[in-house]
Amino acid sequence: MQADLIVGIQWGDEGKGKIVDLLAQKYDYVVRYQGGHNAGHTIVIDGTKYALHLIPSGVLNPKAINVIGNGVVIAPDELLKEMAQFGDLRDRLFISEHAHLILDCHIAFDRAKETSLGGKAIGTTGCGIGPAYADKISRVGLRLCDLRNEAVMLEAIIARGGQLGIAVQDKATLKACVSRWADQLLPFAANATDILWDALDRNKKVLLEGAQGTLLDIDHGTYPFVTSSSTVAAGACTGTGLSPKEIGKVIGIAKAYCTRVGFGPFATEQINTTGDRLRTQGDEFGTTTGRPRRCGWFDVPLAKHACRINGVDELALMKLDVFDGFHMIEVCTKYENNRPVYKSFAGWKSLAGCRSFDDLPEPAKVYVLALEEMIGTKIALISTGADRNDTIYR
Ligand code: IMP
């Protein structure tokens, strides 16, 4: 058996949470493989909103087992806060003992660095992601398994704070923290790679859930305005220990328009009433930071690039209903002299109640089919609203 994979093909916030939630009902295992609590998946079930940051979306399916892979970086208190929402997670949540920890000094360092960069800041989420991954790559990081020796862990945290020039909490408070983390997190620490190999060997269905998006990838994104992990499909291999041969279907998630949070290039951005309207109608505010997202038109060349990098088999097109009431919709079809060239499409009144492709108004069908044709990848699912039921399968 191979694992299926979900990956954002833009700058994150494509609506992966809704798709993973829908699919999580059909999978035995749901796995996060990179990123940390900078991610924010909002899932709406019967009108109730759940904001997930670190725990895989399978947590909302009582039968699914959730795995946090070695490629994820974990802020212990953030994870514990999130876990507390779901009652007893034993036997339903496994965390790679090799996942690296985000310490308070990483968070403080991330924020101080952004402030010192002034106009050149990345616009990070301030979650300590970059400094934690930097420590991992520099081979000075602390992992979940290191909590097994609390005394060594305590000294290491104090030393790391000192090296980064960040004042850490007094030793007694920190000691209590380390003890609490060890007590509450070590019961979930596991060899996540073995768990996933075993699941695939037993023909269990495994879903790998990417966070952020392709254009935020440390290697393939709009560097340096990226996150610090491998957000592309290949990151699932390093972030779990599964081999490329164990990855099956790759589902790319695209929003019907583009958004990005933080700074960095965004050629189709609309800094005008169109962008404002997309932000309002699409409720484009960060789940983690509440920041308003930058909004603009769909970018076909970037989508094609992302589909190739990830080996996308099929696409899910999200938030198509956000265009309700738009008279005209534009799409960047190519670049000439580094400038986007647009094609215009007619808009529509409303997608409310559309539950099949045939239900869609003609202009919406034209828009979807044109994107599919230009990207060269099947759009197998269309989302017309936040609720699970507002979903069209093709
Ligand atoms: P960091 O991941 O906090 O270091 O932030 C680096 C860049 O990635 C910033 O532009 C963030 O806004 C962006 N980013 C990080 N996580 C997400 C996400 O889940 N959705 C969208 N953008 C994100």
Side-chain angles (χ1 to χ4, degrees):
M1 194 79 166
Q2 289 177 309
D4 295 335
L5 185 146
I6 285 212
V7 63
I9 70 156
Q10 293 156 331
W11 283 284
D13 308 316
E14 297 93 349
K16 294 178 292 292
K18 174 176 166 176
I19 298 301
V20 181
D21 168 56
L22 279 172
L23 292 178
Q25 309 308 311
K26 300 181 201 152
Y27 283 82
D28 304 304
Y29 289 74
V30 185
V31 187
R32 271 285 302 271
Y33 55 84
Q34 45 72 226
H37 66 294
N38 51 347
H41 290 198
T42 308
I43 294 175
V44 182
I45 301 170
D46 297 329
T48 308
K49 265 191 186 185
Y50 299 86
L52 294 176
H53 296 283
L54 267 166
I55 302 181
S57 309
V59 73
L60 294 165
N61 167 6
K63 291 191 198 129
I65 290 177
N66 298 279
V67 178
I68 296 180
N70 57 276
V72 174
V73 280
I74 294 169
D77 283 326
E78 294 298 327
L79 177 58
L80 288 170
K81 215 176 4 173
E82 211 173 309
M83 285 165 69
Q85 298 178 85
F86 300 104
D88 187 4
L89 283 172
R90 258 167 305 175
D91 299 328
R92 289 191 56 216
L93 176 68
F94 296 95
I95 310 170
S96 167
E97 58 196 4
H98 292 157
H100 279 249
L101 300 183
I102 299 179
L103 307 172
D104 284 354
C105 63
H106 293 137
I107 296 173
F109 191 76
D110 187 5
R111 294 179 184 176
K113 191 169 171 205
E114 283 283 281
T115 306
S116 75
L117 283 171
K120 292 191 176 142
I122 305 291
T124 72
T125 57
C127 295
I129 304 294
Y133 276 117
D135 276 7
K136 172 178 175 172
I137 300 299
S138 305
R139 297 161 292 186
V140 294
L142 294 169
R143 302 183 294 176
L144 186 59
C145 56
D146 295 321
L147 282 171
R148 290 190 181 120
N149 192 331
E150 290 179 35
V152 172
M153 183 76 164
L154 180 63
E155 293 308 322
I157 293 176
I158 293 168
R160 196 65 199 119
Q163 287 152 0
L164 288 174
I166 303 284
V168 291
Q169 293 157 298
D170 67 89
K171 201 166 176 176
T173 312
L174 206 51
K175 189 167 186 279
C177 264
V178 170
S179 265
R180 186 164 46 80
W181 296 342
D183 285 350
Q184 297 180 12
L185 289 178
L186 282 178
F188 297 91
N191 181 333
T193 306
D194 269 357
I195 289 176
L196 294 177
W197 282 348
D198 176 62
L200 292 178
D201 289 348
R202 288 186 294 121
N203 284 328
K204 294 290 176 191
K205 291 190 68 164
V206 176
L207 182 66
L208 303 160
E209 172 185 359
Q212 289 88 42
T214 302
L215 304 175
L216 287 173
D217 182 85
I218 185 74
D219 287 284
H220 303 286
T222 46
Y223 191 90
F225 299 98
V226 291
T227 190
S228 299
S229 66
S230 295
T231 62
V232 296
C237 294
T238 52
T240 60
L242 294 182
S243 82
K245 288 176 184 161
E246 287 168 307
I247 309 289
K249 193 201 277 183
V250 177
I251 304 164
I253 316 295
K255 194 143 60 178
Y257 49 96
C258 281
T259 62
R260 96 171 278 174
V261 224
F263 303 112
F266 182 0
T268 62
E269 181 175 13
Q270 299 298 300
I271 309 174
N272 51 32
T273 51
T274 300
D276 293 344
R277 191 170 175 193
L278 284 170
R279 186 174 311 108
T280 311
Q281 293 193 193
D283 192 19
E284 295 295 353
F285 296 88
T287 320
T288 303
T289 58
R291 289 181 291 176
R293 296 179 185 140
R294 299 157 63 192
C295 299
W297 301 119
F298 194 94
D299 189 319
V300 170
L302 286 183
K304 282 174 86 161
H305 169 86
C307 284
R308 178 76 195 252
I309 282 189
N310 294 300
V312 170
D313 293 300
E314 57 186 44
L315 285 168
L317 189 67
M318 311 304 291
K319 297 184 94 164
L320 188 61
D321 57 303
V322 171
F323 282 132
D324 282 4
F326 273 61
H327 288 294
M328 204 181 62
I329 299 166
E330 302 212 55
V331 172
C332 166
T333 57
K334 59 179 176 176
Y335 282 82
E336 273 175 13
N337 302 319
N338 286 327
R339 291 221 174 93
V341 175
Y342 290 104
K343 184 172 174 185
S344 301
F345 292 82
W348 53 83
K349 273 202 189 115
S350 170
L351 302 186
C354 293
R355 296 280 155 88
S356 75
F357 192 70
D358 288 342
D359 288 346
L360 290 176
E362 204 49 39
K365 288 183 191 162
V366 170
Y367 185 70
V368 172
L369 294 176
L371 288 188
E372 184 173 84
E373 161 92 25
M374 289 187 287
I375 302 167
T377 304
K378 168 99 182 159
I379 296 177
L381 186 153
I382 300 157
S383 174
T384 59
D387 205 273
R388 271 181 187 171
N389 298 320
D390 298 324
T391 310
I392 294 172
Y393 299 91
R394 286 181 70 223

